[in-house]
Amino acid sequence: METYEFKQARAVWIKTEENKAVYNQFAGFYTELNVKKAERITIEVAARSYYRLYINGSICADGPARTSKGYCRVDEIMKEITAEETGKITVALEVLAIDKPEKYSNDCTLEPGMLVVEICGEDGRVLSATGTKAWRGKNLKYRRLLVETMSHSRGITEWYDLNEKSRSWIAGQPGELQDMEETVHVKDEPVYLKRRAPYPTYRVHMFDGLQRVTDRKTAPEIDPGMVITLSKMMNREWYGQIPEENYFLEAVCKEKDAPFTGIYRREKKKKEYQKDVMTTEASSGENDFSMVWSRRESELGFIEFTVNTESTCVIDMVNSDHVTLKGEVKGNTYVTRYCLEKGTYHLTTMEPKLTRYVKLIFRTNGKVKVEDPKILEYTYPDENTGWFECDDGDLNRIYDASRKTLRLNTLDIFMDCPQRERGGWLCDSQFTSYGAWQMFGDLSVEKDFIENFMLTDPDEMEHAFFPEVYPGSKKDPGDPGIENWSFWLITELADYYDRSGDNSFVEACRGRVSRFIEGVLSRRGESGLLEGLNTLFVDWSLSNRDFCLKPISIPNNCLAVHMLEQAYWLYGVEEWKKAAGEMREIIEKLDEMPGIFGGGGDGAVYQNGQLRRTDCATESGAALELWSGFHKNDRRYIRRFVDSMGYSPRFRPDPNVGRSNLFIGLMIRFSVLAKMGEIDALVREMKDLYLSEMRIGSGTLFENYSGFSGCHGFNAAAGAFLTNYVLGLGEPKQRTKTIRISPNPRNLFWAAGRARCEDGEITMNWNADHVTHELEINLQMPKGWKAEYHIPFALTAWKIRVNGEQLKK
């Protein structure tokens, strides 16, 4: 790990009552600088949970880059101070420290509040540092903290009680800083780490326009939804502390649209130095009312808007990436509530929101005037490094959607989804990482992601396994959750090494990996396979039923074998190779027994000294076994897998074999089809699945078949597959400086693309003449790189030229 050292700054927090449990805190910190000349200053910030940094009252940055318990990554934010801005510079931070009695979160470690800031000039001199008297802080009382959670695994919803002066301290308004107090030093400072991941963008995304204005009516028959039920079930102790008046999400979810009975008008407003903006002035009729703005596709970021209200007003802001089958923006749990006194407010959410639609619900007796909202993008800064295009517009659309899905789920870590959890799940990351390297040409996020897991304490975790999702927190800190998720971390580490050649990092992980594999091997039972694992996962389908997973899961044992083989490849430990060989032999003997599909079902039992498979087979189990290197020479098994399974099989599927869902069975299937060279089947199934998702219109790819399952990052692999196996520009291997070239024209006339490695860009394009059977390839690589050609069988008789020269097959 790369540690980070501050010159002077110390970690601080606001004063709190001792021996009193405080589960959420919202704190403000403030200082002033005297900058005498135009220069670039560097603001180094580390915090737990979330912070927002303001310079002279304007948003400058959000963070932090998340990491492991006991550690903090340091953000380095550059700010140009112009000659006009010299003099007094105000610096303010809002910092949220999230905690819950259940200690359950998927996106942060729920550690106590902490902030450290050091501001340096161009010459490295320290201009200001926390831990000195120049910094003051206070408890911010305008955000309610005893409120409902956004989801079962996230923090609290945003609820603000504001007047026009509530937040004026941020800009250092005279008279608004008197209640600031000296900060106190944090007792146990974390270990500070360097942030490798790039910093997010703040591009502005406008809505296409106001879609509708409607009244709100309560509809008791509406089901508030599983998210609320799950949140209450998983956070019982927390929900028991919330006062009745702070419950509001279920009421929002039970509202429906009704014809507007009030009055509204739209007008264009001139703004200096900005484009004209549209404003809507409205007053209610018989009921509360709402306004909905929409976009053609979803975006992720902070929603901001300006509103004037002539009397007290409650605004509930609902964001969503989909509508109901009736076209309504249904209430959900991602509501931001603003309770406003009369006045004018410029409001920006502190949480990033996945938004295609935003609905502002106004509860007031007076008139309101609101400017059209906008989104400040808070995602990975995609620079269009990687690229794929061909003459099939549907494939281009799938690539673009995959790339967008990756961007929305990539920031400081790989996230499974950008709003419901924002958690870094293993297994998801195995497939997300394919896209990140192929499309972004960047390994920094993946390295930080893997390091977070490697920094977990093996003595704290049961059997030294890794957490299923991290940064995160559980009441039982030793519970890894889904145990086979840890296997995917080692396979991803091996892929990372092949992509990067970063031997020093792999060696730094040796000790933690060794402890984990020691724990894995301790779980081998009398059968010689892993037995009695607590929580397992294959796919959101029949494959996840206990009769497929227990007492012995053959697909997950296959994954364990592959993981051990990859670990041996990384570290050369003979014991791991021996164990993998023994387990592989046991599983392969099983497949010699008669059964309905190969050797039988996903599960197995060991009785009277004999191991046998049970009789429930699934497509996802078969995919995982093939992905792990089993059945490679069983042609019958492979043909049934290719032709009679999947989302759109060529032949009628076997009714005795459980079908796959998208997460994660179909993605494993896509990976297997790609590696086996079954590109026709891969493309057909990707089109059938993803184009139906894209017709829903959010522009992203989902966890399951339905748009209600939301944007999920593992679909980044789809874009990588198109580049790798249709264009044929393989994943760059920095370790060996090689790239696999395997074009698959199928019925395409041309394709082109680009990838990046540490030595520069790799570009490739080809055009195919299906009459003369000629393929012209143009390939450019950095000096020292070598192409390895793997020409598919379909091109055996073709004339292939690379950069004008005949390719020797």
Side-chain angles (χ1 to χ4, degrees):
M1 61 182 177
E2 297 179 53
T3 58
Y4 194 103
E5 292 186 9
F6 291 97
K7 297 183 180 75
Q8 295 181 16
R10 291 190 59 185
V12 299
W13 194 243
I14 57 173
K15 295 178 182 178
T16 55
E17 295 182 39
E18 292 187 13
N19 303 319
K20 181 180 179 181
V22 180
Y23 290 112
N24 294 299
Q25 289 181 290
F26 192 46
F29 297 88
Y30 181 88
T31 195
E32 295 175 358
L33 306 176
N34 183 18
V35 179
K36 298 180 180 180
K37 64 176 182 176
E39 64 175 318
R40 173 182 290 184
I41 63 173
T42 302
I43 307 164
E44 302 160 359
V45 186
R48 298 188 180 121
S49 293
Y50 312 103
Y51 74 78
R52 171 163 286 164
L53 169 67
Y54 301 86
I55 302 295
N56 290 337
S58 297
I59 296 174
C60 186
D62 291 79
R66 294 162 288 176
T67 189
S68 304
K69 179 182 177 183
Y71 298 84
C72 278
R73 293 202 188 276
V74 180
D75 296 337
E76 293 182 322
I77 298 138
M78 307 297 178
K79 173 66 176 176
E80 293 283 356
I81 304 298
T82 66
E84 293 76 18
E85 293 174 320
T86 54
K88 187 179 82 170
I89 304 292
T90 65
V91 181
L93 294 100
E94 292 174 311
V95 187
L96 178 64
I98 289 289
D99 197 4
K100 292 185 286 186
E102 286 82 4
K103 292 293 181 184
Y104 181 40
S105 173
N106 280 357
D107 73 328
C108 66
T109 55
L110 301 183
E111 294 175 86
M114 182 224 80
L115 174 72
V116 57
V117 182
E118 191 164 271
I119 306 173
C120 299
E122 287 181 340
D123 57 2
R125 72 192 187 284
V126 177
L127 304 177
S128 183
T130 51
T132 66
K133 292 184 178 181
W135 282 85
R136 292 170 287 166
K138 68 174 179 177
N139 181 26
L140 299 176
K141 298 180 180 180
Y142 52 77
R143 177 167 179 172
R144 292 196 197 184
L145 303 174
L146 284 170
V147 294
E148 299 161 271
T149 61
M150 288 179 282
S151 72
H152 67 286
S153 59
R154 287 290 306 282
I156 55 174
T157 56
E158 296 186 69
W159 182 328
Y160 301 96
D161 298 294
L162 300 171
N163 59 49
E164 287 187 307
K165 292 186 177 181
S166 296
R167 304 178 72 248
S168 57
W169 68 272
I170 290 172
Q173 291 291 332
E176 300 301 322
L177 301 171
Q178 299 95 326
D179 56 347
M180 287 278 184
E181 298 180 332
E182 285 189 26
T183 58
V184 294
H185 292 149
V186 171
K187 293 180 181 179
D188 299 316
E189 286 207 37
V191 176
Y192 298 111
L193 302 177
K194 181 179 177 62
R195 173 184 180 141
R196 303 183 185 96
Y199 293 88
T201 56
Y202 283 91
R203 293 181 294 187
V204 175
H205 296 272
M206 305 302 296
F207 288 87
D208 295 328
L210 181 66
Q211 185 192 82
R212 65 178 74 178
V213 181
T214 62
D215 273 17
R216 311 305 305 151
K217 282 194 174 180
T218 299
E221 73 278 5
I222 294 178
D223 183 353
M226 177 57 70
V227 176
I228 289 178
T229 301
L230 196 58
S231 295
K232 290 180 178 180
M233 181 179 71
M234 302 296 286
N235 298 281
R236 283 193 178 96
E237 193 174 342
W238 171 247
Y239 270 78
Q241 299 184 32
I242 301 173
E244 190 65 32
E245 64 270 18
N246 286 1
Y247 280 93
F248 77 106
L249 293 180
E250 188 167 330
V252 171
C253 290
K254 286 193 170 186
E255 289 184 338
K256 67 177 182 180
D257 292 349
F260 185 52
T261 58
I263 300 172
Y264 83 95
R265 66 186 181 91
R266 298 268 287 165
E267 65 178 1
K268 188 178 291 185
K269 181 179 179 182
K270 295 283 186 181
K271 297 200 81 173
E272 192 175 6
Y273 307 121
Q274 295 184 29
K275 293 183 178 179
D276 296 344
V277 297
M278 292 297 295
T279 64
T280 305
E281 185 176 273
S283 54
S284 60
E286 300 172 5
N287 308 288
D288 298 334
F289 66 97
S290 65
M291 304 178 191
V292 174
W293 287 263
S294 65
R295 294 173 41 80
R296 289 296 183 190
E297 292 187 351
S298 298
E299 193 48 71
L300 179 70
F302 309 110
I303 302 174
E304 69 170 12
F305 64 98
T306 298
V307 63
N308 173 269
T309 175
E310 67 177 21
S311 62
T312 58
C313 179
V314 175
I315 301 176
D316 287 329
M317 188 188 73
V318 180
N319 65 285
S320 179
D321 65 337
H322 62 268
V323 293
T324 68
L325 295 177
K326 295 181 179 180
E328 295 184 11
V329 178
K330 188 179 183 293
N332 57 43
T333 60
Y334 308 109
V335 183
T336 301
R337 169 163 279 197
Y338 298 100
C339 295
L340 308 176
E341 295 185 11
K342 175 184 176 181
T344 299
Y345 301 85
H346 183 76
L347 304 171
T348 307
T349 64
M350 194 167 185
E351 293 281 351
K353 312 288 186 178
L354 179 63
T355 305
R356 185 182 175 193
Y357 305 94
V358 64
K359 176 167 65 179
L360 297 182
I361 303 172
F362 298 93
R363 311 183 193 279
T364 181
N365 293 322
K367 188 184 299 182
V368 297
K369 192 171 186 178
V370 58
E371 292 182 6
D372 284 2
K374 56 187 176 182
I375 302 171
L376 298 181
E377 182 182 294
Y378 189 62
T379 69
Y380 183 92
D382 183 4
E383 298 174 349
N384 293 316
T385 299
W387 172 57
F388 168 86
E389 188 177 7
C390 67
D391 61 296
D392 184 333
D394 286 340
L395 292 184
N396 295 337
R397 291 174 63 208
I398 292 172
Y399 178 84
D400 291 343
S402 174
R403 188 187 191 99
K404 182 167 190 175
T405 301
L406 172 63
R407 176 172 62 82
L408 299 188
N409 285 284
T410 305
L411 188 60
D412 50 332
I413 58 174
F414 294 143
M415 297 175 287
D416 72 320
C417 54
Q419 180 167 267
R420 185 187 72 206
E421 297 183 40
R422 292 186 68 79
W425 283 85
L426 296 175
C427 182
D428 296 65
S429 63
Q430 170 73 58
F431 299 93
T432 307
S433 64
Y434 293 165
W437 181 226
Q438 191 76 51
M439 293 190 272
F440 292 165
D442 175 37
L443 294 170
S444 61
V445 177
E446 184 176 22
K447 188 171 183 177
D448 280 358
F449 178 91
I450 294 173
E451 184 178 66
N452 290 344
F453 285 89
M454 293 297 169
L455 289 173
T456 56
D457 187 347
D459 292 324
E460 185 176 82
M461 298 299 299
E462 184 177 356
H463 297 287
F465 275 49
F466 298 97
E468 59 188 355
V469 54
Y470 206 64
S473 179
K474 287 187 176 181
K475 196 158 192 175
D476 178 1
D479 178 13
I482 300 173
E483 291 185 296
N484 62 294
W485 258 210
S486 291
F487 305 162
W488 292 105
L489 179 60
I490 308 307
T491 62
E492 184 184 350
L493 178 63
D495 285 351
Y496 169 82
Y497 176 55
D498 211 16
R499 286 190 276 265
S500 67
D502 190 348
N503 186 65
S504 61
F505 178 70
V506 171
E507 278 301 311
C509 298
R510 179 188 285 267
R512 184 64 179 90
V513 172
S514 297
R515 289 290 307 277
F516 161 63
I517 294 182
E518 179 184 323
V520 171
L521 297 181
S522 74
R523 312 297 291 277
R524 293 179 71 186
E526 292 183 27
S527 67
L529 300 181
L530 303 183
E531 300 178 18
L533 297 177
N534 297 319
T535 305
L536 297 171
F537 188 97
V538 174
D539 174 60
W540 283 127
S541 66
L542 185 71
S543 64
N544 252 33
R545 300 292 295 272
D546 273 356
F547 50 73
C548 287
L549 296 172
K550 303 291 179 66
I552 299 171
S553 170
I554 297 301
N556 279 311
N557 268 278
C558 291
L559 178 60
V561 169
H562 178 60
M563 178 272 294
L564 289 168
E565 291 169 344
Q566 292 292 88
Y568 170 74
W569 178 72
L570 286 172
Y571 297 109
V573 178
E574 289 296 329
E575 181 189 358
W576 303 349
K577 179 183 179 182
K578 180 175 180 290
E582 292 170 351
M583 293 171 67
R584 180 174 286 278
E585 183 179 1
I586 292 169
I587 294 170
E588 287 177 345
K589 282 184 178 180
L590 274 179
D591 292 339
E592 297 173 2
M593 302 176 185
I596 62 167
F597 179 62
D602 292 8
V605 294
Y606 185 74
Q607 293 175 335
N608 302 320
Q610 286 193 333
L611 180 69
R612 65 174 179 84
R613 285 191 188 245
T614 53
D615 61 0
C616 185
T618 70
E619 295 181 354
S620 299
L624 186 53
E625 291 185 29
L626 284 164
W627 192 90
S628 302
F630 287 79
H631 314 293
K632 289 186 295 185
N633 299 317
D634 189 336
R635 292 186 61 189
R636 177 173 172 269
Y637 192 104
I638 290 172
R639 290 326 310 168
R640 290 188 68 188
F641 175 79
V642 173
D643 296 328
S644 301
M645 296 186 185
Y647 187 71
S648 50
R650 288 181 62 201
F651 306 133
R652 182 186 176 195
D654 186 337
N656 294 308
V657 177
R659 304 295 297 275
S660 282
N661 209 330
L662 177 51
F663 185 79
I664 189 74
L666 285 181
M667 184 54 72
I668 297 173
R669 174 181 174 81
F670 292 162
S671 181
V672 172
L673 291 175
K675 291 176 181 178
M676 290 194 306
E678 297 287 348
I679 309 306
D680 284 345
L682 173 67
V683 170
R684 182 186 72 249
E685 294 189 28
M686 285 176 59
K687 280 188 173 183
D688 287 349
L689 173 61
Y690 287 133
L691 291 177
S692 65
E693 290 189 353
M694 294 178 65
R695 280 192 287 271
I696 297 172
S698 67
T700 63
L701 305 177
F702 313 139
E703 181 179 30
N704 297 316
Y705 304 145
S706 165
F708 300 108
S709 67
C711 169
H712 271 67
F714 69 92
N715 290 291
F721 294 153
L722 291 176
T723 305
N724 291 351
Y725 298 102
V726 175
L727 171 63
L729 180 64
E731 182 181 78
K733 306 293 186 183
Q734 190 71 41
R735 182 178 66 89
T736 56
K737 293 193 176 184
T738 59
I739 191 161
R740 184 179 189 271
I741 304 298
S742 182
N744 280 275
R746 299 173 60 255
N747 58 348
L748 299 175
F749 293 104
W750 62 268
R754 177 177 61 237
R756 182 170 66 186
C757 61
E758 290 183 5
D759 302 303
E761 290 189 340
I762 303 171
T763 62
M764 175 180 171
N765 67 276
W766 51 252
N767 59 80
D769 189 323
H770 294 271
V771 177
T772 62
H773 295 146
E774 294 180 291
L775 187 71
E776 290 280 356
I777 300 174
N778 293 307
L779 176 65
Q780 301 297 324
M781 298 180 293
K783 186 178 180 180
W785 277 70
K786 179 183 177 182
E788 297 177 343
Y789 293 93
H790 297 262
I791 303 304
F793 177 77
L795 297 181
T796 300
W798 284 49
K799 293 181 180 179
I800 302 174
R801 287 182 288 274
V802 179
N803 297 336
E805 295 185 7
Q806 189 75 28
L807 178 66
K808 296 180 181 179
K809 300 180 184 179

